[in-house]
Amino acid sequence: MLCLGIESTAHTFGVGVVDEMGNVLSNEKDVYKSKPGWGIIPMEAGKHHRKVADSVVKQSLDKAGVSMDDIDVVAYSRGPGLPPCLHAGLNKAVELTKFTGNLVGVNHCVAHIEIGRLTTGLKNPVVSYVSGGNTQIISFAEGRYRCFGETMDVGLGNALDKFGRAIGLDFPQAPKIEQLANNGKWVNLPYVVKGMDLSFSGIVTECIKRYEKGEKIENLCFSIQEVLFSMLVEVTERALAHLGKSEVLLTGGVAANKRLQEMYEVMCRERKAKFKVVPKEFAGDNGAMIAWAGILTYKSGQRINPKKADILPRWRTDEVEIGWIRKI
Ligand code: AMP
Ligand code: MG
């Protein structure tokens, strides 16, 4: 069985082809880039996705060495995400169901978790899911991926990107912050953990103020990473201890950050927990993760009628029935 998955929740239009065994046959993408100084403009990102859709689908099929006639299921990112972007993916997916009647809608956050489990071999991890728009500490319990902690305002990637934008970097700003941080020194910043939840936006504002007052950008890049990552690791450690689990999976676009990986390695070593990071190719938004979650969704018996297919821009991770896991 082959599934073609379409990712289109935000900046990335991605198309992947994955088989039933979890082999990734292709994973192609085209990423919308906003103009310097701007964040994502949803309508423009949606327009970008519509424009590139056919060519990314074609590239993905070519790379996999298959045609639409070989595809058994089409999966799309049903949410959460930006409505104009989600619509672009939905429309392309529905159009492609003329080749195969089978359509499934996938939760984007669940797809980040499942591609992480597939590629790292972890079975029952506490998941640190850190991307542009989302930041959640998640683990499986009784049929769902439950959120044990999450951001109360922006996602971790967006927090870093927003600070980066204020100091004149181009999108994606966070990897550039990672480089600049190598030459920075610690400056004291607020640390905002409330129970199991996190708040990033006030810290970003504080960093912007310090920058305007003349603090060196390298020092701010170093310190914003130290403080935001420490908050995240603290909450993950508490979830790990409380749940009595012994694996940690780092997934989502920010998982590519070496300093964050290092902090998790130290915490997990001290706790004797296994720690794995999703491979870079699957860290940011991508079509293969939607295709793999599509296979799992389809095999668990869920389907969407193409005539009634919709988007769920605010669909939470913990609202999804995880029909493919009985017991782990
Ligand atoms: P996603 O939404 O999962 O595609 O992830 C995109 C987010 O990951 C953006 O906010 C990027 O700035 C961020 N990101 C990518 N590479 C890194 C990195 N090396 N360090 C921190 N954040 C990163
Ligand atoms: Mg994402």
Side-chain angles (χ1 to χ4, degrees), residues 9 108 112 129 131 134 285 289:
T9 56
H108 173 91
H112 272 292
Y129 163 43
S131 65
N134 300 287
D285 293 349
M289 72 181 192

Side-chain angles (χ1 to χ4, degrees), residues 2 67 71 85 88 101 105 113 130 134 150 174 186 194 197 218 226 230 245 256 269-270 280 286 318:
L2 286 183
S67 76
I71 301 291
C85 301
I113 299 171
V130 283
N134 300 287
E150 62 193 303
W186 172 247
K194 299 195 173 177
D197 292 330
E218 287 84 354
E226 292 302 297
S230 305
K245 298 203 179 185
R269 201 180 316 127
E270 287 176 0
K280 196 158 193 259
N286 65 90
D318 48 16

Side-chain angles (χ1 to χ4, degrees), residues 177-241:
I177 292 176
E178 182 178 16
Q179 296 310 313
L180 289 162
N182 289 329
N183 300 313
K185 286 211 279 280
W186 172 247
V187 293
N188 214 16
L189 290 176
Y191 184 99
V192 193
V193 175
K194 299 195 173 177
M196 287 291 281
D197 292 330
L198 309 156
S199 169
F200 300 132
S201 63
I203 301 172
V204 171
T205 305
E206 178 64 21
C207 287
I208 296 172
K209 271 204 228 153
R210 301 268 183 107
Y211 165 69
E212 286 166 356
K213 284 189 186 150
E215 183 61 61
K216 264 181 79 181
I217 61 171
E218 287 84 354
N219 293 349
L220 289 168
C221 290
F222 174 77
S223 305
I224 196 171
Q225 285 203 154
E226 292 302 297
V227 90
L228 301 189
F229 296 170
S230 305
M231 287 161 49
L232 191 71
V233 174
E234 178 196 322
V235 174
T236 313
E237 181 171 16
R238 215 164 324 127
L240 197 61

